[in-house]
Amino acid sequence: MTLNGVPRSRMTVTPVEEFLKKPPVGFSVELLGSGYRVHSDAEKSLVLIDDFDSCMGKIVFQNSLGRKVKMQNLWEYTSMRESLLSKRIYLLVCACEEICSASNKKAASEVRVLQQYVVSIDGNDPFIRWQMVKGLDWTISSVAGESYRVDVDLTEPLESWAEKNIHVLSDKPIKTVWTDASFTLKYYSDALFDFPHWFGFSKRKFKLRMT
């Protein structure tokens, strides 16, 4: 599956079951007794997926850095930045249905998972690359020399994709809510008094768009 109107190379959205049955080029899937282990080419793919449970068992991405990537020095940051701007990035997201309690409509809504997807974006695509560079430079210029955290959010393109591609048989409209639609970069400075980080002032977030 692809995002309608967007070149296939820029973003793909694939159900987990389909991804395991027909892995993309550079991936292979090993069947285990309790689930699956997914192998990937680390030279071409940047996998940011934590181990997770599915209806098919536990899924482990062997070469994954995880959804939250920690960096502790300039070399690690530079390496991560180069990967983000040159490789295809893979992330696990969930499409959920928002459920409101009939007995207490003012209570916080709950969500029911409809489908898990593997989303990939091309970090080397000129439009994606430009947004990533702009977002990262803005983050670092804001908290230079300090620890920081930045979330890269894909909610907007996923919502656009859902409007065109998710069809649920129901007698009433269902609003799709996306969870885990971002990944996080955490940089830890060796500054002795890192007050902005301690007080939560060094948190940043930027949104990626596909069009």
Side-chain angles (χ1 to χ4, degrees):
M1 295 185 182
T2 60
L3 183 65
N4 290 355
V6 176
R8 181 178 179 83
S9 62
R10 185 171 288 174
M11 174 175 170
T12 64
V13 185
T14 309
V16 168
E17 297 84 356
E18 181 180 335
F19 187 94
L20 295 176
K21 290 179 181 178
K22 298 179 180 179
V25 176
F27 285 79
S28 63
V29 178
E30 178 185 1
L31 177 61
L32 305 175
S34 58
Y36 298 83
R37 180 181 289 118
V38 182
H39 302 270
S40 59
D41 183 354
E43 294 297 320
K44 297 181 180 179
S45 302
L46 178 61
V47 182
L48 304 176
I49 300 177
D50 295 322
D51 299 349
F52 66 98
D53 294 317
S54 73
C55 59
M56 299 174 292
K58 186 172 185 178
I59 314 298
V60 177
F61 280 76
Q62 186 70 20
N63 295 324
S64 175
L65 297 179
R67 182 182 300 276
K68 298 180 179 180
V69 182
K70 297 180 180 180
M71 300 161 288
Q72 295 182 306
N73 53 56
L74 182 60
W75 183 88
E76 290 180 353
Y77 166 76
T78 302
S79 178
M80 184 63 190
R81 183 184 175 103
E82 290 177 353
S83 293
L84 288 169
L85 300 178
S86 62
K87 299 179 182 180
R88 196 159 192 91
I89 304 165
Y90 291 82
L91 189 70
L92 178 77
V93 301
C94 294
C96 303
E97 175 191 2
E98 193 171 38
I99 303 174
C100 295
S101 173
S103 60
N104 187 0
K105 295 182 179 180
K106 293 183 179 181
S109 300
E110 297 180 352
V111 293
R112 176 174 66 90
V113 177
L114 299 173
Q115 178 69 58
Q116 294 173 306
Y117 295 94
V118 175
V119 175
S120 74
I121 58 174
D122 184 4
N124 196 39
D125 176 89
F127 184 56
I128 300 296
R129 185 183 177 92
W130 173 78
Q131 293 180 78
M132 200 79 72
V133 168
K134 183 179 179 182
L136 293 175
D137 287 350
W138 166 72
T139 300
I140 294 176
S141 65
S142 299
V143 289
E146 305 162 358
S147 299
Y148 69 86
R149 165 180 171 158
V150 56
D151 294 324
V152 184
D153 188 15
L154 293 169
T155 302
E156 184 177 315
L158 287 170
E159 289 177 342
S160 298
W161 178 88
E163 291 177 359
K164 301 178 178 67
N165 294 279
I166 290 185
H167 306 286
V168 181
L169 297 178
S170 175
D171 57 357
K172 61 180 180 179
I174 294 178
K175 180 181 179 180
T176 303
V177 178
W178 292 94
T179 62
D180 300 326
S182 65
F183 61 90
T184 302
L185 306 176
K186 292 184 176 183
Y187 181 82
Y188 291 96
S189 169
D190 57 0
L192 184 59
F193 298 105
D194 202 346
F195 295 111
H197 178 68
W198 294 349
F199 292 105
F201 299 140
S202 57
K203 294 181 180 180
R204 299 290 185 268
K205 179 179 181 179
F206 66 88
K207 299 180 179 181
L208 287 183
R209 295 183 295 112
M210 295 298 121
T211 57

